Amino acid sequence: MFHPRRTLRALLLPLVAGLALIALPAQSAQAASTLTNAGFESDGTGTATPTGWSTYSAAGQNAASFTESGGHSGSYRLTHYSASAYKVETYQYLSGLTNGNYTLTAWVRSGGGQNSAYIALKSCGSSEQRTDLPVSASGWVRIVTSIAVTNNQCTISINSDANAGNWINVDDLSFTSGSTGLAIKGADISSLAKSEALGGVYKTSSGTTGDALAILKSSGMNYARLKVWVNPADGYNNKTRVLAMAKRIKAQGMKLLVDFHYSDTWADPGAQSKPAAWAGHSYSQLKTDVYNHTYDVLNALKAQGTTADMVQVGNEINGGLLWSEGSTGNWSQLAGLINSGYSAAKAVSSSTLVALHLANAGDDATVRWWFDNAATYGINYDVIGLSYYGYWHGSLSAAQTTLDDVASRYSKPVFIAETAYPFRLDSDDSLVNQIDTTGELVSGYPATTAGQTAWMNAVANIVEAVPNGRGLGVFYWEATWTAVTGNGWDPTDAGSGNGWENQALFGFDDKALPAMSWFSHR
């Protein structure tokens, strides 16, 4: 916490190429530190070294950092740009800080293409912390970086290692007490049991064959998501298989999210078909079906010592579930069905979080419409989950707007229940991939291992930036769904292919991909 009696002062240290940064002693405790000129409004345009800031470039390229008109909220912003390749740092040194956790917040844009572009907190007494700037050429995106200050000082740093013509904009920074991070760094691994049974192999990045779960865990994954179908044709993703996989997940020290589809096959915004066993049931009976099925699976998990940590009552239920009785054309019945699942989950374990999951995080109006109705009709839930596929669901700034809005509007934690990105465009089986042309990609994120990694870091960064600690984290979909003959998309057709293997976290050579590094996010 800041103390009113402390003021903050910024001390600018001269940086000379080749000389180390020399820390000045902390000043006496009547002053404390705030950022000077955090919105770059003091100098107008064209200032290479804005008031309160210093610029450093080992190659003498200080001119690549400058202020110009077009701020996020005010009239001006900081820009890094040059017509030739450049490396430049704009920084501000703070001293007289009370030790503790601090968070830097910044509004940023970037055209992409840099070798690196990031904001950092360094020389604060603990390990340097960085946040990459997402590629967002039009909309401003808010990012955060947090650190433990242990030496009463800290340096705020804006860095570009850029190619000719690359640019970033930075504006409206703040440096305040508090910390950030993601509680959930997860992945859906619903495909894994069937893949392994059909000969699927998983390897470390260096090529050693191993347990996929252990490989994911070693990269930092801490939460696994498993879908549940009622009576699927292939016998996978049912209660029995989920129980077996839950033992392995918990043995790795991971938490478990159980995703109830209330169907025998895929449930999503375009399909919410009832399980065959419930086909002729009345609305009243369907409420009992939902309760009994939910209770049965979760109670069996609890009984074997693998209690679910979170439960989704339905999957991508934009249009409701168990059509037609539970469609959004009949909100009172939809509410009854969801509340039946909620009650069953809480009856098994009151501490299990119940999430409601919609697709399209880029569409704030639709998400608002849905959860406003949920409030009107008394639908019970703890957490909001949203799917966010950038090639279908809009810009990072649009997704951030939705996450921020619903977290605030409904006072609920939010998480990205599904996201993914391709590391290549061609197929490893006979089925055309869902994303297989450059025109389908998100601008600035190529279909490469680096592009996949950058996408995951960008999504993690906007979730981490949700105010008031309400951004819980992200689940990757679908980490282990590599191309294995027989493990296609259709549980009724063993010959169906997988249109998603170019978006797994294991490559066509079965090796762990670099994008797994996102699991080690703060």
Side-chain angles (χ1 to χ4, degrees):
M1 294 288 292
F2 284 121
H3 297 284
R5 68 179 184 275
R6 298 175 71 91
T7 54
L8 287 198
R9 7 182 264 114
L11 295 174
L12 302 181
L13 288 180
L15 262 185
V16 181
L19 292 184
L21 187 65
I22 302 166
L24 293 186
Q27 299 302 302
S28 62
Q30 69 235 13
S33 211
T34 49
L35 272 171
T36 299
N37 194 19
F40 303 100
E41 296 296 304
S42 297
D43 309 288
T45 62
T47 303
T49 303
T51 299
W53 295 86
S54 297
T55 308
Y56 172 67
S57 173
Q61 298 166 312
N62 286 20
S65 172
F66 54 91
T67 54
E68 62 178 346
S69 60
H72 166 254
S73 63
S75 299
Y76 303 100
R77 67 195 184 209
L78 178 75
T79 292
H80 286 180
Y81 166 80
S82 177
S84 55
Y86 63 95
K87 292 183 183 181
V88 70
E89 175 189 14
T90 310
Y91 68 95
Q92 187 169 148
Y93 168 75
L94 304 179
S95 72
L97 290 167
T98 302
N99 286 339
N101 293 318
Y102 289 83
T103 295
L104 177 70
T105 302
W107 286 90
V108 302
R109 297 191 300 195
S110 172
Q114 298 90 349
N115 299 314
S116 63
Y118 60 90
I119 59 173
L121 296 173
K122 62 183 185 179
S123 304
C124 312
S126 58
S127 299
E128 177 176 339
Q129 296 294 309
R130 295 182 178 183
T131 301
D132 292 335
L133 270 64
V135 180
S136 180
S138 53
W140 289 91
V141 175
R142 191 183 63 259
I143 58 175
V144 294
T145 309
S146 65
I147 199 163
V149 172
T150 62
N151 61 356
N152 304 110
Q153 63 191 35
C154 199
T155 297
I156 285 88
S157 173
I158 302 162
N159 274 268
S160 293
D161 177 356
N163 298 299
N166 294 163
W167 61 269
I168 65 169
N169 300 148
V170 179
D171 204 2
D172 292 343
L173 291 90
S174 67
F175 187 69
T176 56
S177 59
S179 61
T180 65
L182 299 180
I184 296 172
K185 290 162 283 198
D188 195 301
I189 54 160
S190 297
S191 62
L192 181 56
K194 188 175 180 180
S195 174
E196 290 172 335
L198 295 170
V201 172
Y202 299 88
K203 298 177 180 179
T204 65
S205 57
S206 60
T208 304
T209 300
D211 176 9
L213 267 177
I215 294 168
L216 289 160
K217 167 73 174 182
S218 70
S219 294
M221 177 173 151
N222 66 2
Y223 221 122
R225 179 178 186 253
L226 295 175
K227 69 171 176 272
V228 188
W229 289 339
V230 178
N231 188 24
D234 64 357
Y236 284 88
N237 303 118
N238 61 8
K239 173 187 167 184
T240 301
R241 304 285 187 177
V242 166
L243 286 168
M245 189 58 71
K247 285 184 176 179
R248 292 174 56 186
I249 289 165
K250 293 284 188 168
Q252 290 290 343
M254 295 184 190
K255 291 187 175 181
L256 172 64
L257 167 56
V258 178
D259 173 18
F260 285 95
H261 284 229
Y262 301 112
S263 181
D264 293 334
T265 188
W266 303 99
D268 57 44
Q272 295 283 340
S273 55
K274 289 195 279 283
W278 307 357
H281 290 185
S282 66
Y283 164 66
S284 177
Q285 182 61 45
L286 287 170
K287 281 200 295 184
T288 303
D289 293 333
V290 168
Y291 187 96
N292 288 345
H293 171 59
T294 306
Y295 187 93
D296 179 47
V297 173
L298 296 178
N299 195 52
L301 284 165
K302 180 182 178 181
Q304 70 171 15
T306 60
T307 301
D309 299 282
M310 193 188 300
V311 171
Q312 280 181 221
V313 177
N315 187 77
E316 294 189 330
I317 55 175
N318 298 55
L321 45 75
L322 293 167
W323 289 347
S324 59
E325 286 79 359
S327 81
T328 49
N330 191 332
W331 275 98
S332 62
Q333 290 193 173
L334 175 56
L337 292 167
I338 291 173
N339 285 345
S340 192
Y342 177 93
S343 296
K346 295 297 186 178
V348 173
S349 168
S350 61
S351 64
T352 295
L353 296 174
V354 176
L356 299 183
H357 170 209
L358 303 188
N360 201 346
D363 183 359
D364 187 39
T366 295
V367 177
R368 255 194 188 208
W369 164 79
W370 203 99
F371 282 99
D372 280 356
N373 275 292
T376 298
Y377 288 92
I379 293 177
N380 297 316
Y381 65 99
D382 303 313
V383 188
I384 293 171
L386 301 173
S387 294
Y388 178 48
Y389 297 104
Y391 37 73
W392 294 326
H393 295 157
S395 68
L396 285 160
S397 58
Q400 179 165 72
T401 295
T402 304
L403 290 166
D404 292 354
D405 182 41
V406 299
S408 171
R409 187 174 178 87
Y410 309 109
S411 299
K412 300 286 188 183
V414 295
F415 68 99
I416 295 299
E418 298 181 17
T419 190
Y421 208 75
F423 58 91
R424 58 195 292 171
L425 292 172
D426 58 324
S427 296
D428 197 24
D429 62 12
S430 59
L431 184 65
V432 171
N433 290 331
Q434 290 272 338
I435 302 297
D436 68 336
T437 66
T438 54
E440 293 171 302
L441 298 173
V442 179
S443 178
Y445 294 91
T448 60
T449 58
Q452 183 187 46
T453 304
W455 177 257
M456 287 311 300
N457 286 330
V459 173
N461 289 341
I462 66 168
V463 177
E464 185 189 17
V466 174
N468 301 310
R470 289 192 175 125
L472 288 183
V474 182
F475 287 91
Y476 194 88
W477 199 92
E478 214 265 22
T480 56
W481 201 11
T482 53
V484 175
T485 303
N487 195 19
W489 71 271
D490 186 353
T492 68
D493 177 9
S496 67
N498 170 9
W500 208 261
E501 75 273 11
N502 66 325
Q503 298 191 66
L505 290 180
F506 292 87
F508 290 5
D509 58 2
D510 302 321
K511 293 180 183 178
L513 290 167
M516 282 192 200
S517 63
W518 90 266
F519 288 123
S520 59
H521 194 280
R522 272 182 302 276

